[in-house]
Amino acid sequence: MARFSHPDMFLDLVGEELGVSDWVQIDQAMIDAFAHATNDHQWVHVDPERAARELPTGTTIAHGFLVLSLLAPLSYEIFDVGHVAHELNYGLNKVRFAAMVPAGSRIRLRQVLASAEKRDDGAVSLVLDAKIELEGSERPAAVVQNLRLIYPEDGTSA
């Protein structure tokens, strides 16, 4: 995990890879829990017998939004910032689900800092190019730009 002593440090890291998370397994229990929480019970996600017969993966697949929902917790594994009052996920750009994520497979997050700007309110605005990699696949499960705001503690500077 990369550790940064202050949010302003990102201003000098544009274009740098910030790191890679650990692998996380996407099992059927996780997929079923997500289906229950979101009321999205499409058979491709929750019917292993039908998926075995009809899907090219031979198994159910994770919801794209389940994969996307792991962006924040996986990102927290990549870097930590000191002197922070709070952080906000500000939005997403260019979300694409590039590969199916079969039940039982593993994903991880790779992040590159695309831009960093100091805002008038003191926050540092980050655009993170995020690739959610699918183990054993040349194609990522998802690619997305993640927008984050990091507010330093009052009166702190790098």
Side-chain angles (χ1 to χ4, degrees):
M1 173 183 293
R3 299 198 188 281
F4 302 101
S5 61
H6 193 276
D8 288 351
M9 292 182 72
F10 288 101
L11 301 173
D12 296 324
L13 296 174
V14 173
E16 299 288 325
E17 181 174 289
L18 298 178
V20 181
S21 74
D22 290 334
W23 291 103
V24 63
Q25 186 167 19
I26 308 297
D27 61 17
Q28 190 62 49
M30 182 186 289
I31 294 168
D32 290 344
F34 190 85
H36 179 71
T38 61
N39 202 28
D40 181 354
H41 299 280
Q42 185 181 15
W43 72 266
V44 297
H45 307 304
V46 299
D47 189 338
E49 291 80 21
R50 185 173 176 187
R53 289 190 315 268
E54 298 183 34
L55 287 180
T57 58
T59 184
T60 59
I61 58 173
H63 305 73
F65 287 114
L66 166 57
V67 172
L68 188 61
S69 74
L70 296 172
L71 183 65
L74 292 175
S75 182
Y76 298 145
E77 293 182 13
I78 293 176
F79 64 85
D80 181 55
V81 187
H83 297 286
V84 172
H86 61 279
E87 292 184 48
L88 297 173
N89 280 314
Y90 188 60
L92 303 170
N93 290 333
K94 300 181 183 179
V95 177
R96 297 293 182 267
F97 301 113
M100 291 185 281
V101 177
S105 59
R106 298 191 323 161
I107 62 170
R108 69 179 178 186
L109 174 64
R110 182 179 303 274
Q111 285 186 319
V112 173
L113 182 60
S115 71
E117 296 178 4
K118 188 78 166 189
R119 293 174 19 138
D120 291 340
D121 64 0
V124 176
S125 172
L126 305 180
V127 176
L128 299 159
D129 285 338
K131 183 187 301 183
I132 300 174
E133 299 175 338
L134 176 61
E135 189 175 41
S137 174
E138 290 184 22
R139 295 177 56 193
V143 291
V144 59
Q145 282 190 328
N146 181 212
L147 312 177
R148 289 177 58 186
L149 296 176
I150 305 178
Y151 290 86
E153 293 174 338
D154 289 339
T156 65
S157 62

